């Protein structure tokens, strides 16, 4: 019961998401603008205008935000996901007031008394679980919001569900917006003499990279367009590979002799 009340408070306290409120527009990310601009003419698809006059009877259902964790590979490739949401619905027993009238006998008289609604515990809302199939578009970034039409709170018109993207950490790649960062370990001779190397991309592809001679540790190589893909007509991100210098393993006797030679040369 306490959990449901907390739940209700949480959703009630979200500003700018109520029916007919246009104030929330300022919060929409660039992602929203670019990705969803083509759907129903962008903001006009919300239907705020249409419901404003009817809010007194049955308001448009509120938009719901729900976090979603996505692996970096999934962000690069896109995919489908079955998610479970808990959407607060107006309690059908009390109609959202949190109280119901109950007849009580006081002596010889019967009186109506207002008591806490047993269905919702006085919260006025209750959580409804739903399973939804959602499409993860390729190229989503940290903090992006994926809109799932009509899966918000029910009402005269159902609100929308917004999935707030959180990208999970990856062992080899870090994402910053659409750009990707990865370490590029090479052996010392490759850094000194230069070499052609291959980087395994996030989606399994092979990226060729030329290391020029005398490349110092920490040197950053930019692979244009090899970051996370673009959404619609935008630009893909870049991949930044930072050179790390490793030593050979194991150091065999001939290798050791060669390094001794390098040391002598350096000292002279
Ligand atoms: Zn109730």
């Amino acid at each position: 019961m306490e959990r449901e009340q907390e739940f209700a408070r949480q959703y009630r306290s979200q500003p700018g998401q109520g029916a007919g409120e246009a104030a929330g527009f300022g919060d929409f990310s660039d992602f929203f603008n670019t990705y969803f601009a083509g759907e129903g003419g962008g903001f006009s698809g919300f239907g705020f205008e249409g419901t404003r006059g009817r809010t007194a009877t049955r308001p448009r259902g509120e938009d719901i935000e729900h976090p979603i964790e996505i692996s970096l590979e999934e962000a690069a490739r896109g995919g489908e996901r079955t998610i479970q949401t808990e959407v607060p619905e107006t309690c059908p027993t009390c109609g959202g007031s949190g109280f119901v009238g109950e007849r009580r006998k006081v002596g010889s008289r019967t009186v109506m008394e207002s008591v806490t609604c047993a269905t919702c515990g006085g919260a006025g809302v209750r959580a409804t679980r739903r399973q939804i199939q959602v499409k993860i578009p390729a190229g989503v970034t940290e903090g992006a919001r994926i809109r799932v039409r009509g899966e918000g709170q029910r009402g005269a018109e159902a609100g929308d569900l917004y999935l707030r993207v959180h990208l999970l950490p990856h062992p080899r790649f870090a994402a910053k917006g659409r750009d990707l960062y990865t370490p590029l370990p090479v052996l010392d001779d490759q850094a000194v003499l230069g070499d052609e190397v291959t980087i395994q991309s996030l989606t399994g592809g092979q990226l060729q990279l030329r290391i020029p001679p005398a490349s110092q540790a920490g040197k950053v190589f930019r692979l244009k367009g090899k970051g996370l893909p673009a959404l619609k007509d935008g630009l893909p991100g870049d991949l930044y590979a930072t050179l790390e210098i490793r030593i050979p393993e194991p150091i065999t006797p001939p290798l050791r002799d060669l390094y001794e030679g390098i040391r002598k040369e350096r000292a002279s």
Side-chain angles (χ1 to χ4, degrees), residues 90-100 116-126:
T90 301
C91 174
T93 308
C94 63
S97 68
F99 296 96
V100 288
T116 302
C117 170
T119 307
C120 63
V125 292
R126 59 170 195 172

Side-chain angles (χ1 to χ4, degrees), residues 21-55:
E21 277 191 63
F25 280 167
D27 298 328
F28 291 123
S29 63
D30 288 339
F31 166 79
F32 183 91
N33 280 315
T34 52
Y35 184 60
F36 293 110
E39 286 187 22
F43 292 150
S44 64
F46 270 89
F48 280 133
E49 290 302 323
T51 53
R52 189 165 286 149
R54 284 180 276 137
T55 48

Side-chain angles (χ1 to χ4, degrees), residues 183-245:
L184 176 61
V186 296
L187 287 167
D188 52 0
D189 65 278
Q190 293 177 295
V192 171
L193 305 172
D195 204 356
E196 290 277 341
V197 296
T198 302
I199 301 175
Q200 188 94 11
S201 83
L202 192 53
T203 47
Q206 308 276 319
L207 303 170
Q208 303 299 323
L209 181 65
R210 198 182 66 82
I211 311 285
S215 288
Q216 196 55 267
K219 185 181 171 76
V220 179
F221 297 90
R222 175 176 176 229
L223 289 90
K224 201 160 183 279
K226 300 299 180 186
L228 289 177
L231 286 167
K232 290 210 158 183
D233 307 324
L235 287 172
D238 299 328
L239 171 62
Y240 293 91
T242 305
L243 199 71
E244 285 180 0
I245 294 173

Side-chain angles (χ1 to χ4, degrees), residues 10-25 27-28 46 48 59-66 145 152-153 159-162 164:
Q10 187 190 333
Y11 281 102
R12 280 175 173 170
S13 64
Q14 279 185 11
Q17 298 206 0
E21 277 191 63
F25 280 167
D27 298 328
F28 291 123
F46 270 89
F48 280 133
R60 176 187 189 272
E62 285 187 26
D63 293 336
I64 302 295
E65 195 171 289
H66 193 85
R145 301 208 299 175
Q153 198 181 19
D160 296 326
L161 169 69
Y162 287 91
R164 169 79 67 184

Side-chain angles (χ1 to χ4, degrees), residues 60-233:
R60 176 187 189 272
E62 285 187 26
D63 293 336
I64 302 295
E65 195 171 289
H66 193 85
I68 185 168
E69 293 192 326
I70 293 176
S71 71
L72 219 45
E73 286 94 338
E74 209 174 357
R77 282 202 189 99
E80 260 192 35
R81 213 35 119 63
T82 305
I83 57 157
Q84 202 172 65
T85 58
E86 276 193 17
V87 179
E89 302 289 3
T90 301
C91 174
T93 308
C94 63
S97 68
F99 296 96
V100 288
E102 205 175 80
R103 285 194 173 78
R104 285 262 173 93
K105 255 194 140 55
V106 181
S108 58
R109 294 179 304 144
T110 302
V111 294
M112 280 293 277
E113 212 171 62
S114 189
V115 297
T116 302
C117 170
T119 307
C120 63
V125 292
R126 59 170 195 172
T128 311
R129 286 212 171 85
R130 284 186 218 151
Q131 269 208 348
I132 317 169
Q133 279 279 113
V134 292
K135 255 200 155 69
I136 312 290
V140 289
T141 50
E142 175 71 31
R145 301 208 299 175
I146 301 170
R147 178 163 67 150
V148 187
R149 233 175 233 275
E151 290 294 349
Q153 198 181 19
R154 301 277 188 251
E157 185 190 341
D160 296 326
L161 169 69
Y162 287 91
L163 298 172
R164 169 79 67 184
V165 172
H166 174 57
L167 296 179
L168 293 168
H170 188 279
R172 274 198 310 128
F173 292 94
K176 201 171 174 186
R178 215 162 286 292
D179 293 332
L180 293 175
Y181 295 81
T182 190
L184 176 61
V186 296
L187 287 167
D188 52 0
D189 65 278
Q190 293 177 295
V192 171
L193 305 172
D195 204 356
E196 290 277 341
V197 296
T198 302
I199 301 175
Q200 188 94 11
S201 83
L202 192 53
T203 47
Q206 308 276 319
L207 303 170
Q208 303 299 323
L209 181 65
R210 198 182 66 82
I211 311 285
S215 288
Q216 196 55 267
K219 185 181 171 76
V220 179
F221 297 90
R222 175 176 176 229
L223 289 90
K224 201 160 183 279
K226 300 299 180 186
L228 289 177
L231 286 167
K232 290 210 158 183
D233 307 324

